[in-house]
Structure formats: structure tokens, C-alpha cells
Amino acid sequence: MGTASQTVSGAPSPLVWFWQFLKEELAPYPGRARLVARIVIAATIVMILTMTFRIPFGAYAAIYTFIISRESSRETVRSAVTEVIIFGCAALYTLVGAMLFVNHPMLRLLWIIATLFIMFYALNIMTNYTAAVRFGWLIVITIPLWDTRIPAEAKLEGMLWAVGAITLASLVAVAVELVFAGLRLGDELLSPLAERLAAVEDVLGRYSKGESASKETEKRITHLAMLGTSSLRRILRRSGYAPHYAEQMGAAVVLIGRLVDIAANLTQLVIYNSDEDRRLIRDLAQSVSGIRVDLLKGRIPHPIHRATSVFPTSPLLSEMEITVSLITEVFANSRSLSMYASAHPSGGDPPPTLLVRDAWSNPEHIKFALKGCLAASLCYIIYNAVDWPGISTAVTTCFLTALSTVGSSHQKQFLRITAAVAGGAVGIGIQVLVLPELDSIAGLTVLFSPIMVAAAWVATAGPRLSYLGLQVALVFCIINLQEFRIQTALAPARDRIAGVLLGLFMMWLVFDQLWSAPAVDQMRKTFTATLKLLARFSKEPLSSDLKVATDRSYFFRETINKNFEQTRALADGVLFEFGPSRERDLLWRNRIVRWQPQVRILFLMRIALWKYRAKLAGFELPEAIQAAQQEFDYELAGKLDEIANRMESKATSGEEITQNLSARLELTIRTHSSKKPNGPLPTRFQAFLNLCRTTENLTISLDKELRVSQAPVMRAD
């Protein structure tokens, strides 16, 4: 059998690590050049139009082309109509508020604070992310306008110019998307997944021949592992895919990302395999190839039998084999993927709504809005109290920072400060050395485009570095595009950079200090909450009213899906937090990242079982079997609660889950079916029983992994 060895070297120096980090983040990947081209072309066209025709708010219009959603060209174009409606509402709201409160300083202050709260709240609860950004973007860039001492007519005119500038940026971005949509090959979600599977297949193919991974193969799989799946998760989160498809593909994205991580670790090992091992690796590579082909063709991947300990001396290969089999389990009891991938709901999914279903019930939305409102309000009060309107960019910075704020992370704060300093240094350096030599829009374009290319390239990096590019673009644009002339005075640049730093300080104070918690603690809390929600969902529906039951079902589904995304985002933040507890924190992170895919698949199984409990058409069961299913579901739900309590270090029964639950259920089914006791079950009962067995096996597996894996973590605590 095979053996594996690995040479462990000392940790690299900080300088070497940082250089390697930059190379990994800035390396090209398929589609990155096209994405950067779309951003730069849109930003450059907006800059030329606003500077040529002297359209105010040109700096904010150019930045808007960076933050508008580009994960899906279909979504960017399709959301245009919704954006127009939301934009009209934002403009009307601002005008009415200004007319009512502009001459009453105290009332205006209260209105501004309330407006900032609404702005951040809308950012978190609206399903159309681009529309939410547009709503907040218009409000935040026009707040300083109504504080200036100019006639009311000039303020109204400025408001209309802001409307025109952002509308122009939207139209340009949509036009660029339409042009590039015809040049883009493949699906924006399936093509990257297929690329990752192909890279894993390449690694396995070489090992099946007794070869080690080539330098090119190793570099490719390592880059994909470092790139992660955050961009794919954003596509799903902001897309109009049917919920059923989004939930399945969300689990597939996580598992394929895990498969890439395992393959990347595998390339660091020296593996010696017997002929039998090579055959098993070849079969595993063929399974990966089959999944890739099925996904690209919109077919359900064929189930793969999970072997037991086929690679006893190569744990990574065994883990990879388990992960591959889990990918096929994600799509169990599903029809063709192509019927789910449209923007229209199918399979009983509800129609899309303007707000998320937990908009009024999830306290996290209120918490996020309060934090953003407090930070922006403090900035607003400070720059008005000291009568320094030049630093009004602080409020804009709070909003822009909030667009990428998902939990507390020292990494984000480091990137914010670094980006502000880098952007300011670039902007001031250009003002001193380059701008005095320019005298035309053509010269400004030649200068603007390369800087936007660099900023956009960084902005399209992984989650560890992307914010840096966005912040550099912001600082550069607000320094050089605020006036319709070559800006050589340093005072405006000083004021705008000071405003950016003030905004960053307030975001750090509110998000990372006043409402701070280590990312690993938040990660544990969110993962535990997911288990408890899944236990509650396992007992649904509790109401006999199908409409009420369906609404509750989708509330649970959306909340659980958000928890999955938040857990993954917090996992990224843990890597950048240091201190005496770092070893323990990394242990917790690695365990939860490992457990989460199983919980995702368990969640999908529970969605299917809910249909039987709800007695939907085609899912009816005899009353005796329904009663047995309820007992089965309640017992497994209790075990999930026990697992969650163990995560919180609470007392539990300590009893392990046994595998007799599905056996009792099978006995009930056979007793009430017309078939012979030992004969084959009817197809519909067999499908139901297989679903229950899978659910039980996943729960048992999760319980065992927690018992085994949690012990060293508890000792580290």
C-alpha cells in the first residue's frame, strides 16, 4: 500500500511570506483580465463623460462602476429596472426630507441619523444588492450638499446632477456588460467549478500513473486553493437563481473548494502507491471527471459508492474520496439542474421578493444598521462641529467600508488603513509630479486608465486583498475628479484623505472595538446557531396551514443559508487574528470548516424530508409512516441540539447516536406496505427510506467527528 511523507520546513520570514502572499493574490486567473477590463472601461468612459460635459459628482460616479455587481452580467442588466424604481424612491426621500428639515438644525440632525440607519438597514435586507447600494450611494454622496450654504435652487440642481451622474454610471456599466456578455464563454458559476474539478483531476491523473505533480500543476492547484470560493458564493448570493438550485450549488461550491484544498495539500506530499492504489486513484479521477462533465451539461451527477478506508496510509486521499461522494449526495432526489438554473422559481419555490424574508425578525440586520449608523453619524457630527466640510468624505468612507464588512477582522482594518495611505500617496505624488504637466482630457485619460487597471486588478484579488484596490481607487478619484480642471493644490487632497482616515477610524472604533468579538468566537456562535436552527427546521412544519408552514420553511432556509455564508466569511478573518490564543483559534477554525459541508448536505436532506412532513403533492405518506417519520425526525433533531450544546460546552446526555432509527422506520414502512416483509419496497417508499438513511448517517458522522475532533480543541481551551 501507499505511504506518504512530507518534509516540514521552518516558517518563512515575514518578508518572504508577504512576497509570496502578494504573488498568490495578484497572479492572473481565468476571467480576471476580462473582469478588470470591464471595470476599467466603464470607469474610464464615465470619467471622460463627466469631465468633458462638466457633470458634478463625477468622482463618485467613477467609483460606482467599481462597486456595481458584476458577478453575473444577466443580473447586472436585469436589475436595471429595479434600480430605477429604487433610485426614484431614494431621490424622492432625500428631497422630501431636505424640504422638511433643511431649516431646522436639530430636526435635520435627527433626520440625518435616521436616514443613515435606513441606508445601512436597506443594504442588509434588500435582495437586490445593486439596488441597495444605489439607494445608499445616492443618499451618502448628497448629504454634504444639503449642509452647504448655497441657495435652495442650487442644492436641488446639485441633487439632480447626482441623480444624473449615478444614472450615467449605471448605463455605462450595463452597456459594457452587454458588450462583454457576447464575448464571455460558459456559465459564470459552472465554468469556474469545472475549472477547479479539472485541476483536481489533473493532480489525481498524475498520481494514478505513479508520477508526482508537475510544477505547473502544483502552481495551478495552489492558486485555486488560495483564490478560494468567495467569488462563487457572491454569485449565488446576488443571483436570481431558484432557491432550490442556489442551496444545492452552495453546498457543491463548498465541497469543491474543500476538494481543491485537499488536492493542494496533496501536492506537498511524496506519495508512493502500489498498483492497487493507482487503480483506486484512477477510479477517483474518473469520478471527478464525471461530476465535471455532468455539471457542465446540466445533469445530476451520478451517485458514487463511498468506499471505506481505501487509502489507509494516505488520509488525504481517503478524505478526497469521501468529499467526492458527498458532492453527488448534494444532488440526491433532484431533477435536471438546467430546470433550476433560471431566474424563475421552480419546484414550488416562492417568487422573488424585494426584501429578505427575515428582514423584520433577524436582530443581526438591526445590529449591522446600528453599527453603520453610529460610525457615519459620528463622522457627520464631527465634521460639522469643527466646520471642516472638506472631510465630509468620512461618511462616504463608512458606507463604502460597510459594503465589505462581514464580521470583525483585523485584516480588514489593516487593508483599510494601508489602502488609504497608499491611495493618498499615489494621489498626492501624481499631483506634484504629473498633473502640472497635463493640459487636456486625453492626458488625464492616459494617467487615469493605468491607475484604474492597477486598482481593479487588486480589487479582483481574493478576499484577503481585494478591499485594498477599491480603497485606492476611492482616494484617487475623490482627489482628482472632484473639479473640472487639473487639480494641483494639495489642500483639497489633504482634506479628503483626512476624511477617509476619519471614516476608517470610526468604523474601527464601532465595528472592531465597541461591538467587537474575536472572529473565532463569532464563528463558533454562528455555527452553533446553525445547528440549532437545523434542529428546529427538522421538526417543521408545526402548522397545518400550508401557507404558514411554507413561509416558516423559507424563513429557516434563508437564515440557515446566511449562517453558512457568515461562518465561511468569519473563517477567513480568523487567519488574520493573532495573539496567545491563535493556536486554539486555528484549531476551532479548521474543525468547523471541516464540519460545515456535512451540515450543508444534512440541510439539503432536511429540505427534502420537509416536503413529506408537509404532505406536498407527490410526497404523501400513510398516516402510520408519517407518525414514524415524526418520531425519527424529532429524535435526530434532539441529537442536533445535543451537538450544539456540546459546541457551547453545555452538559449533554453523552449518548452516541445509534443506527437503529432508520431500521425502526423501515420496519414500519414494510408493515404498512403491500409488499412481502423481506421483498423490495415500492419505489416511492424506497426513495423516502434512502433519504432518511442518508440523513441519519450524516448526523451520526457529524456526532462522531465532533466527539473525536473536539477533544484536543477542548484541551487547548
Side-chain angles (χ1 to χ4, degrees):
M1 294 301 292
T3 59
S5 64
Q6 181 179 16
T7 302
V8 180
S9 59
S13 67
L15 186 61
V16 172
W17 174 88
F18 183 69
W19 177 246
Q20 185 64 28
F21 164 74
L22 288 181
K23 288 201 302 181
E24 292 167 350
E25 290 290 339
L26 299 179
Y29 56 80
R32 187 173 192 174
R34 290 195 299 273
L35 179 57
V36 170
R38 281 147 50 203
I39 294 174
V40 173
I41 290 173
T44 303
I45 292 175
V46 169
M47 183 276 294
I48 293 173
L49 292 176
T50 55
M51 296 297 284
T52 301
F53 297 101
R54 294 178 173 268
I55 301 175
F57 297 95
Y60 297 111
I63 291 298
Y64 185 73
T65 62
F66 268 70
I67 62 178
I68 191 171
S69 175
R70 273 187 179 81
E71 283 78 9
S72 166
S73 59
R74 175 186 58 202
E75 280 305 300
T76 303
V77 176
R78 191 170 62 87
S79 64
V81 175
T82 306
E83 284 189 39
V84 170
I85 299 173
I86 296 297
F87 187 74
C89 293
L92 181 62
Y93 172 85
T94 305
L95 290 173
V96 170
M99 288 188 295
L100 293 177
F101 305 112
V102 71
N103 294 320
H104 303 277
M106 184 55 65
L107 290 178
R108 172 163 173 75
L109 176 61
L110 295 176
W111 177 77
I112 288 292
I113 294 175
T115 298
L116 291 172
F117 177 84
I118 293 172
M119 181 182 75
F120 283 99
Y121 194 56
L123 187 65
N124 227 29
I125 67 171
M126 292 181 64
T127 55
N128 189 315
Y129 181 79
T130 306
V133 171
R134 188 167 186 171
F135 177 84
W137 195 243
L138 174 66
I139 291 176
V140 77
I141 68 175
T142 55
I143 283 177
L145 172 67
W146 297 97
D147 292 326
T148 55
R149 298 179 178 88
I150 58 176
E153 294 81 3
K155 293 180 180 179
L156 177 60
E157 181 181 349
M159 177 71 183
L160 295 178
W161 276 119
V163 172
I166 301 180
T167 301
L168 175 65
S170 299
L171 293 176
V172 170
V174 169
V176 172
E177 288 297 315
L178 287 173
V179 172
F180 274 82
L183 303 177
R184 189 179 307 168
L185 300 176
D187 183 272
E188 58 260 11
L189 178 63
L190 295 181
S191 294
L193 289 178
E195 178 195 2
R196 286 162 170 77
L197 290 172
V200 174
E201 184 184 347
D202 187 17
V203 172
L204 293 175
R206 291 183 177 276
Y207 282 124
S208 68
K209 299 175 183 178
E211 304 173 358
S212 60
S214 65
K215 289 294 183 182
E216 183 180 350
T217 299
E218 181 179 339
K219 182 179 179 181
R220 179 187 179 193
I221 198 71
T222 302
H223 171 70
L224 289 173
M226 297 303 299
L227 184 62
T229 57
S230 59
S231 61
L232 303 182
R233 299 199 305 272
R234 283 197 302 269
I235 292 175
L236 283 170
R237 186 169 64 250
R238 301 176 187 175
S239 71
Y241 292 135
H244 183 76
Y245 179 81
E247 287 160 351
Q248 287 187 324
M249 294 307 297
V253 165
V254 171
L255 288 168
I256 292 174
R258 178 180 173 184
L259 197 62
V260 170
D261 291 341
I262 298 171
N265 291 330
L266 200 62
T267 60
Q268 306 303 313
L269 302 176
V270 179
I271 297 182
Y272 307 96
N273 296 295
S274 64
D275 292 339
E276 177 63 15
D277 285 338
R278 293 174 188 173
R279 183 188 66 79
L280 293 173
I281 295 174
R282 190 181 308 113
D283 291 342
L284 184 58
Q286 290 175 354
S287 297
V288 173
S289 176
I291 293 174
R292 176 176 58 82
V293 172
D294 286 339
L295 288 178
L296 287 176
K297 293 185 177 180
R299 299 193 304 245
I300 297 297
H302 298 293
I304 298 172
H305 173 67
R306 184 192 300 183
T308 304
S309 299
V310 294
F311 305 103
T313 56
S314 299
L316 288 179
L317 287 170
S318 298
E319 186 176 354
M320 184 176 288
E321 191 270 343
I322 293 173
T323 303
V324 169
S325 67
L326 287 175
I327 294 173
T328 63
E329 289 184 16
V330 165
F331 302 100
N333 303 289
S334 296
R335 293 166 286 180
S336 171
L337 290 178
S338 59
M339 68 184 301
Y340 290 113
S342 66
H344 303 288
S346 59
D349 289 324
T353 57
L354 179 62
L355 304 179
V356 296
R357 288 179 174 79
D358 63 347
W360 313 115
S361 57
N362 190 343
E364 290 300 318
H365 300 315
I366 300 290
K367 184 178 178 181
F368 175 81
L370 286 174
K371 291 193 291 186
C373 174
L374 178 59
S377 298
L378 289 174
C379 292
Y380 178 80
I381 292 171
I382 289 174
Y383 83 71
N384 278 281
V386 300
D387 194 22
W388 193 359
I391 63 172
S392 61
T393 51
V395 179
T396 307
T397 302
C398 289
F399 178 75
L400 190 61
T401 302
L403 297 183
S404 60
T405 298
V406 190
S408 300
S409 172
H410 297 302
Q411 165 240 0
K412 290 187 177 68
Q413 189 61 30
F414 172 76
L415 290 181
R416 293 167 194 161
I417 299 298
T418 303
V421 173
V426 171
I428 293 176
I430 287 173
Q431 278 188 292
V432 174
L433 302 176
V434 180
L435 290 182
E437 306 299 325
L438 301 180
D439 58 1
S440 67
I441 189 68
L444 181 60
T445 302
V446 172
L447 171 67
F448 180 84
S449 296
I451 293 176
M452 290 300 103
V453 168
W457 191 268
V458 177
T460 55
R464 301 181 297 176
L465 192 65
S466 59
Y467 186 82
L468 181 66
L470 181 61
Q471 192 71 55
V472 168
L474 170 68
V475 175
F476 177 80
C477 288
I478 64 174
I479 289 177
N480 296 288
L481 301 184
Q482 288 282 65
E483 300 177 15
F484 309 116
R485 60 186 177 88
I486 302 300
Q487 178 62 263
T488 56
L490 295 181
R494 176 205 61 196
D495 294 349
R496 289 156 190 166
I497 293 174
V500 171
L501 292 175
L502 174 62
L504 295 177
F505 173 77
M506 288 303 169
M507 291 297 287
W508 167 79
L509 180 66
V510 173
F511 278 80
D512 293 344
Q513 298 300 312
L514 299 183
W515 259 307
S516 174
V520 71
D521 291 345
Q522 290 290 347
M523 186 180 182
R524 288 173 59 179
K525 180 180 177 182
T526 304
F527 183 74
T528 303
T530 304
L531 293 175
K532 291 184 176 181
L533 282 170
L534 189 55
R536 291 176 59 189
F537 182 57
S538 300
K539 300 177 181 180
E540 291 288 327
L542 300 179
S543 173
S544 58
D545 187 327
L546 185 57
K547 183 179 184 305
V548 174
T550 302
D551 288 342
R552 283 180 57 83
S553 166
Y554 279 100
F555 166 77
F556 278 110
R557 289 170 65 173
E558 288 189 356
T559 306
I560 291 172
N561 273 316
K562 285 181 181 177
N563 283 355
F564 284 142
E565 294 304 313
Q566 186 178 6
T567 301
R568 184 62 196 180
L570 289 168
D572 295 335
V574 175
L575 296 175
F576 290 85
E577 294 191 343
F578 299 88
S581 64
R582 177 170 173 79
E583 183 178 353
R584 182 209 63 181
D585 295 347
L586 290 177
L587 277 172
W588 271 114
R589 176 195 179 274
N590 294 338
R591 300 304 186 191
I592 293 175
V593 168
R594 178 184 175 85
W595 298 331
Q596 178 148 285
Q598 289 180 261
V599 180
R600 273 186 175 270
I601 300 174
L602 186 59
F603 171 54
L604 293 175
M605 299 297 105
R606 278 297 167 192
I607 292 174
L609 286 174
W610 178 91
K611 298 178 181 179
Y612 288 96
R613 294 280 301 277
K615 304 176 185 178
L616 299 184
F619 295 89
E620 301 91 346
L621 294 172
E623 290 186 8
I625 298 179
Q626 284 183 345
Q629 183 197 356
Q630 180 173 338
E631 180 184 356
F632 173 85
D633 289 340
Y634 271 60
E635 288 198 37
L636 286 185
K639 294 303 180 182
L640 284 175
D641 279 328
E642 284 193 18
I643 293 173
N645 289 335
R646 199 178 305 123
M647 286 285 296
E648 295 178 332
S649 301
K650 294 181 180 178
T652 63
S653 67
E655 296 180 0
E656 293 190 18
I657 305 173
T658 59
Q659 288 185 295
N660 61 355
L661 297 179
S662 59
R664 296 203 310 253
L665 183 61
E666 181 180 2
L667 180 60
T668 303
I669 293 174
R670 290 188 179 278
T671 302
H672 293 84
S673 66
S674 58
K675 299 294 184 180
K676 296 179 180 180
N678 296 324
L681 290 172
T683 303
R684 66 189 186 101
F685 289 148
Q686 187 62 56
F688 168 69
L689 186 58
N690 289 340
L691 191 62
C692 292
R693 284 172 177 163
T694 302
T695 303
E696 183 183 35
N697 290 337
L698 285 170
T699 308
I700 292 173
S701 175
L702 180 63
D703 181 61
K704 288 182 177 179
E705 286 202 31
L706 276 164
R707 289 176 182 275
V708 173
S709 303
Q710 200 173 0
V713 181
M714 288 300 187
R715 286 196 295 270
D717 284 344

